[in-house]
Amino acid sequence: MSSVTDSAQQQTTVSEPGQLAQRISELGDWFHNLDLHGISTAPHHFLGDFPNIKWRHIANAIPSDLTGATVLDVGCNAGFYSIEMKKRGAKRVVAIDVDDRYLSQARFAAQTLGLDIEIEKCSVYAADKLAGQFDLVLFMGLFYHLRYPLLALDNLIKKVAGKLVFQTMIRGSDEAGNFEQDYPFWETEIFEERNFPAMYFVEKSYSNDPTNWWIPNRPAVEAMLRSSGLEIESHPEEETWVCRPAGVLRDGRYIVEHELDGTL
């Protein structure tokens, strides 16, 4: 984990529209379509005005006034959600990612908009090393890019003092599952049920992206959130859940700690 110092950090605020557009272009392809003083960073995004089209459905599930709150944005990309949190008055926003291009874009966007966002190079697997906990943790659009997704979720829970906003791509069934606590060994038909919790493993690539590793269906997402000790409070849109820690500790220790010690 390290802070990122790059050309974007040294860049003074660009005020002229032509200079701003040029700098946006120099920072490479953007996945987040931000509005930087009237200039869009990804106007031709294949998903449309992304992630704003998703944010419109999520926004009301998060307090409009975050005055005094601390926020951790995991897998921040170019910083769309971090920017929205600062707009709502969050006292401290920490944004982490491992992609240097995204980090440079996020730094430039924050500086251009005059927002104080702490942007650091840090993996989700190392997020537990960050100091303290956060009132709000955003885990948006990263889960399915991880080779070890449940480990990341279990580890990240250590940072959640208030709420976790979780978003992932889903494929397969979007119907909530309702299953028994246990099944006999010879029961195999249950696994053929469309809405049985399942994750699809992508060996090579999906949507031209080799980092799309595991894509869950909705029942799997909700089962994993509950298994990690989270209580689902709301489901504001088809790929997003707002949760709070309910049973993340067992005998005073986090679930992931028990798992790694063989005591779960």
Side-chain angles (χ1 to χ4, degrees):
M1 180 177 65
S2 62
S3 296
V4 176
T5 301
D6 54 24
S7 59
Q9 188 177 21
Q10 305 299 325
Q11 180 77 18
T12 57
T13 302
V14 178
S15 57
E16 293 296 327
Q19 293 178 324
L20 181 56
Q22 179 179 350
R23 184 62 183 137
I24 289 171
S25 177
E26 289 172 351
L27 287 169
D29 292 334
W30 293 62
F31 193 73
H32 280 184
N33 187 36
L34 309 180
D35 182 348
L36 300 184
H37 299 311
I39 299 179
S40 297
T41 58
H44 307 297
H45 200 296
F46 78 101
L47 293 174
D49 184 15
F50 185 86
N52 193 48
I53 53 172
K54 187 168 288 291
W55 173 243
R56 294 187 195 118
H57 300 284
I58 302 169
N60 289 336
I62 297 173
S64 58
D65 184 359
L66 291 174
T67 301
T70 56
V71 180
L72 174 62
D73 184 3
V74 182
C76 64
N77 203 282
F80 176 91
Y81 295 109
S82 291
I83 291 168
E84 293 299 324
M85 297 302 100
K86 288 300 290 186
K87 287 180 179 178
R88 295 187 176 208
K91 177 179 68 175
R92 183 187 183 213
V93 176
V94 178
I96 64 172
D97 208 302
V98 293
D99 189 299
D100 289 328
R101 173 166 57 96
Y102 291 153
L103 291 165
S104 294
Q105 291 172 351
R107 285 187 178 277
F108 177 74
Q111 291 168 357
T112 299
L113 297 174
L115 299 174
D116 180 16
I117 299 173
E118 300 172 38
I119 300 168
E120 300 185 10
K121 186 170 187 177
C122 176
S123 166
V124 61
Y125 300 114
D128 63 317
K129 303 298 189 296
L130 295 168
Q133 290 186 309
F134 296 82
D135 299 310
L136 190 64
V137 175
L138 307 177
F139 192 17
M140 313 289 285
L142 179 60
F143 189 76
Y144 52 95
H145 288 299
L146 302 174
R147 196 168 171 91
Y148 309 105
L150 190 55
L151 174 62
L153 175 62
D154 282 345
N155 205 38
L156 183 60
I157 282 171
K158 298 177 183 179
K159 298 289 99 182
V160 184
K163 303 287 179 67
L164 172 74
V165 183
F166 177 94
Q167 184 267 323
T168 181
M169 180 198 305
I170 60 171
R171 291 293 183 265
S173 175
D174 61 356
E175 301 174 5
N178 185 18
F179 296 94
E180 301 295 333
Q181 289 292 317
D182 192 15
Y183 291 91
F185 180 81
W186 300 110
E187 169 60 71
T188 60
E189 292 182 358
I190 191 65
F191 296 100
E192 298 175 13
E193 293 284 341
R194 182 176 183 274
N195 62 339
F196 192 81
M199 287 227 288
Y200 303 94
F201 178 71
V202 181
E203 181 182 1
K204 295 182 180 179
S205 181
Y206 178 68
S207 188
N208 296 311
D209 188 341
T211 72
N212 286 326
W213 287 108
W214 289 98
I215 308 176
N217 61 14
R218 175 184 171 180
V221 171
E222 296 180 349
M224 286 186 287
L225 291 172
R226 291 191 298 265
S227 177
S228 293
L230 296 165
E231 179 179 306
I232 299 170
E233 291 194 334
S234 64
H235 183 37
E237 65 101 40
E238 62 181 6
E239 295 184 338
T240 305
W241 292 259
V242 179
C243 313
R244 70 172 186 87
V248 298
L249 295 176
R250 298 185 184 180
D251 297 325
R253 304 180 70 208
Y254 286 99
I255 292 172
V256 66
E257 295 170 343
H258 282 291
E259 170 65 14
L260 295 177
D261 285 346
T263 57
L264 187 62

